[in-house]
Amino acid sequence: MHNKDPMVVLRTEYSRGGRNSATVRMKLKSLLNASGTEVVFKADDKMDQVVLDKKDCTYSYFADPMYAFMDDEYNQFEVESENMGDAIQYLEDNMPVEVVFYDGKAISVELPTSVVREVTYTEPAVKGDTSGKVMKPAKLATGFEIPVPSFVETGDKIEIDTRTHEYRKRV
Amino acid sequence: MLWDIFCKVIDNHGDIGVCWRLAADLGSRGESVRLWVDDASALAWLAPHGASGVQTHGWHEADAATAGDVVVEAFGCDPPAPFVERMPRMAPAPVWINLEYLSAEAYVERSHGLASPVMAGPGRGLTKWFFYPGFTERTGGLIREHGLMQKRAAFDASQWLAEQGIESLPNERLMSLFCYGDAPVEALIERAAASPTLLLATPGHASRLAQAALGPSMRRCLLRCIALPWLTQPQFDRLLWACDLNFVRGEDSFVRAQWAGNPFVWQAYPQDDGVHLEKVDAFLARHLDDAPASTAAAIKSWWTWWNGAGPLPRGSDGGDETHAWETVSKHWTQSLAAAPDLTTRLLGFVKKVR
């Protein structure tokens, strides 16, 4: 809730500040009037969360501008692409998600905290560098790029933290 | 306006250094400032004469105080709950600023000036504003007192050194040292000792590491070392102005080295997972943007090594690139000095959101 308006978080940016602190910048959209705003919080700030209904579904297809999801009883729910937020970066067919509802309407999706995705392209690995400290961009099937250690190669499957978009490990 | 600046001293002296400097700068511009700090001991040597317009108070004295017009929590330090509890009942409520950490990273521009709704705790319902120091027009800028650059231009290094009882020998290069406990000071000394060098080590880690490396003689080959006393902020500025190469750390001295306009190497506050190296890289990307490639590579090699992320650089302290490094530093200082300073921007920001 923000100023008594229920908001959906469209984008988040987690940033490390000084002295092991962190902040989170959010792009919000009102569920009532579609107005948007950007805010920032310290990573340990407390906030009110609206209690929402959630349902396990899988991703079915995209019919612009709606993303369609289906539950295990073949009920279909559609979420506006604008409300998909960062979930779009990791979508693939039949992917399990939680569809989030407000007042009976599907408003967004929540991803698992980590996913495994194939690297569709990254620059060839530098021989000998196994430290994992040198990073390079790697592209996923959705076109989304995340930094990965230099030893990761095209075709590798990697585990990604969907909350911070950080590489966790090669699978 | 009446400003309340809250400062928690976590470690080292950066917290109180930055907060005192901001408080003093506001005070010099006619603002009234109350600096609430949990450990004011460093002010005894950092600012023994106080500053016009600034009153210093113990942290818990704020429990019984009512906020002024602007409340600044430095580095997200959360003012005392009793003080914050009274804020929502004020009309108008004070402007509440979180003065964030300095960084050259891109997220700073995206986050600077954003609102932070307070949704829980004693300040619930209020809005806090995140104010980020930075190096670009889209950030909060850097603290720079009125007249600083004029004082810098008029500075006589020889006279100042003499006043401090420091005699530098002909052809002796002056280096200042202010670092964290894991800085590779032994290796720095070993490298620097090949050329006439006077190393001026600040109290704390720098002096301790230098003394451990040099022993009681405080000498090695062509290097001499003097352990300095605690310096006031203005005197620390003059130390940086007087030296040919400055090793600085954290936030406050990092900024002051940039106003000095001399070559400097920054040691970032070490953080988990090495994320501080990203901050070093982000700064160098801006700082060296216009530098010739060879100069940029030389400077970067020193910074990388000093932050524990690369090998000891070849050559001697910049070697053939020394003059070019000086040019880079001066150019950087001039570009920063052309922009409005942080206090000016902060005053403007408060006026806008009030």
Side-chain angles (χ1 to χ4, degrees):
Chain A
M1 297 294 285
H2 173 46
N3 293 337
K4 299 182 182 173
D5 282 349
M7 312 290 275
V8 62
V9 179
L10 299 182
R11 297 267 188 281
T12 61
E13 180 183 11
Y14 174 85
S15 303
R16 294 285 298 278
R19 205 184 280 151
N20 297 311
S21 69
T23 58
V24 181
R25 182 177 68 95
M26 296 183 186
K27 184 175 180 182
L28 306 178
K29 180 180 150 187
S30 170
L31 293 172
L32 300 181
N33 56 30
S35 64
T37 188
E38 282 194 21
V39 293
V40 63
F41 297 98
K42 288 185 280 186
D44 59 356
D45 276 343
K46 305 288 187 292
M47 58 186 65
D48 289 333
Q49 269 197 298
V50 180
V51 178
L52 299 166
D53 294 322
K54 298 179 186 178
K55 198 172 185 48
D56 291 329
C57 297
T58 56
Y59 172 58
S60 289
Y61 62 86
F62 174 57
D64 200 3
M66 309 300 281
Y67 284 83
F69 301 85
M70 196 176 299
D71 66 13
D72 55 9
E73 294 174 352
Y74 304 104
N75 297 308
Q76 190 163 290
F77 308 99
E78 292 181 332
V79 177
E80 291 178 44
S81 60
E82 195 181 46
N83 294 344
M84 287 293 291
D86 291 333
I88 287 181
Q89 314 297 1
Y90 302 103
L91 275 189
E92 61 180 24
D93 289 345
N94 300 313
M95 173 184 177
V97 301
E98 277 188 316
V99 175
V100 182
F101 297 83
Y102 177 75
D103 205 19
K105 180 187 170 197
I107 58 165
S108 69
V109 299
E110 284 187 5
L111 300 178
T113 55
S114 69
V115 294
V116 173
R117 291 289 178 272
E118 181 176 326
V119 174
T120 57
Y121 181 76
T122 187
E123 292 290 329
V126 175
K127 282 199 190 308
D129 177 28
T130 56
S131 67
K133 290 181 181 172
V134 178
M135 307 296 272
K136 61 178 180 178
K139 191 175 283 190
L140 309 180
T142 56
F144 187 48
E145 282 191 357
I146 67 163
V148 299
S150 61
F151 56 77
V152 171
E153 299 188 11
T154 299
D156 282 349
K157 287 191 167 45
I158 60 174
E159 185 178 308
I160 305 164
D161 187 321
T162 58
R163 298 161 298 183
T164 61
H165 312 306
E166 287 178 333
Y167 166 92
R168 276 191 182 172
K169 62 183 178 186
R170 194 163 48 178
V171 177
Chain B
M1 291 184 287
L2 174 60
W3 295 65
D4 291 295
I5 299 177
F6 286 87
C7 173
K8 267 195 178 164
V9 177
I10 305 296
D11 55 16
N12 305 299
H13 306 297
D15 309 273
I16 189 70
V18 170
C19 290
W20 178 260
R21 202 177 289 285
L22 176 61
D25 201 24
L26 285 165
S28 75
R29 301 181 195 214
E31 305 292 314
S32 297
V33 184
R34 297 184 296 193
L35 177 63
W36 307 91
V37 58
D38 58 348
D39 178 5
S41 57
L43 290 179
W45 52 265
L46 197 153
H49 306 297
S52 172
V54 180
Q55 295 178 332
T56 304
H57 300 277
W59 182 270
H60 289 294
E61 292 179 53
D63 290 356
T66 298
D69 302 293
V70 186
V71 174
V72 177
E73 62 177 56
F75 313 118
C77 69
D78 288 328
F83 180 92
V84 175
E85 271 167 7
R86 286 187 281 275
M87 286 167 56
R89 298 196 289 267
M90 293 171 64
V95 175
W96 191 355
I97 303 281
N98 173 24
L99 180 66
E100 266 289 333
Y101 291 96
L102 170 65
S103 177
E105 294 163 281
Y107 77 84
V108 167
E109 286 189 341
R110 291 191 291 269
S111 301
H112 172 63
L114 289 184
S116 183
V118 181
M119 298 185 183
R124 185 189 181 111
L126 294 177
T127 297
K128 199 183 297 188
W129 301 91
F130 274 48
F131 193 91
Y132 283 82
F135 303 94
T136 68
E137 289 295 323
R138 291 172 60 190
T139 69
L142 303 173
I143 298 177
R144 184 180 79 246
E145 301 84 358
H146 283 326
L148 179 68
M149 305 317 295
Q150 289 80 355
K151 288 179 186 170
R152 172 67 184 99
F155 177 68
D156 183 330
S158 299
Q159 180 181 346
W160 183 79
L161 289 167
E163 289 169 357
Q164 310 311 305
I166 298 172
E167 182 189 356
S168 68
L169 303 175
N171 300 321
E172 203 169 42
R173 169 193 50 196
L174 269 65
M175 289 169 52
S176 73
L177 181 63
F178 182 42
C179 61
Y180 294 116
D182 61 346
V185 171
E186 159 65 45
L188 173 67
I189 286 174
E190 184 60 22
R191 167 61 57 80
S195 306
T197 301
L198 176 57
L199 181 65
L200 301 174
T202 56
H205 295 301
S207 283
R208 179 180 58 78
L209 290 169
Q211 286 166 353
L214 295 169
S217 71
M218 293 289 267
R219 288 173 182 265
R220 182 184 297 180
C221 297
L222 297 173
L223 181 143
R224 301 186 294 136
C225 179
I226 294 175
L228 297 172
W230 290 111
L231 297 175
T232 64
Q233 285 189 331
Q235 292 292 55
F236 182 75
D237 274 346
R238 282 148 183 80
L239 170 68
L240 299 176
W241 299 353
C243 288
D244 303 297
L245 178 61
N246 294 308
F247 287 83
V248 292
R249 74 181 198 200
E251 185 157 327
D252 189 60
S253 63
F254 174 41
V255 174
R256 303 318 283 185
Q258 293 175 67
W259 296 134
N262 296 331
F264 67 102
V265 180
W266 174 50
Q267 186 181 17
Y269 185 94
Q271 296 198 55
D272 299 344
D273 304 323
V275 71
H276 58 289
L277 298 176
E278 296 174 18
K279 299 175 186 301
V280 173
D281 288 342
F283 176 79
L284 286 177
R286 295 190 190 276
H287 184 54
L288 302 175
D289 189 36
D290 294 331
S294 60
T295 307
I299 295 173
K300 188 166 184 182
S301 70
W302 276 89
W303 283 53
T304 304
W305 163 70
W306 192 242
N307 284 278
L312 187 62
R314 296 179 303 168
S316 62
D317 323 329
D320 295 338
E321 300 293 341
T322 300
H323 181 65
W325 194 349
E326 292 168 357
T327 302
V328 166
S329 300
K330 284 190 172 23
H331 177 70
W332 177 251
T333 301
Q334 286 164 3
S335 68
L336 290 179
D341 62 273
L342 182 145
T343 304
T344 297
R345 299 191 205 197
L346 180 59
L347 286 164
F349 182 81
V350 166
K351 188 177 174 184
K352 185 180 83 169
V353 301
R354 218 166 159 214

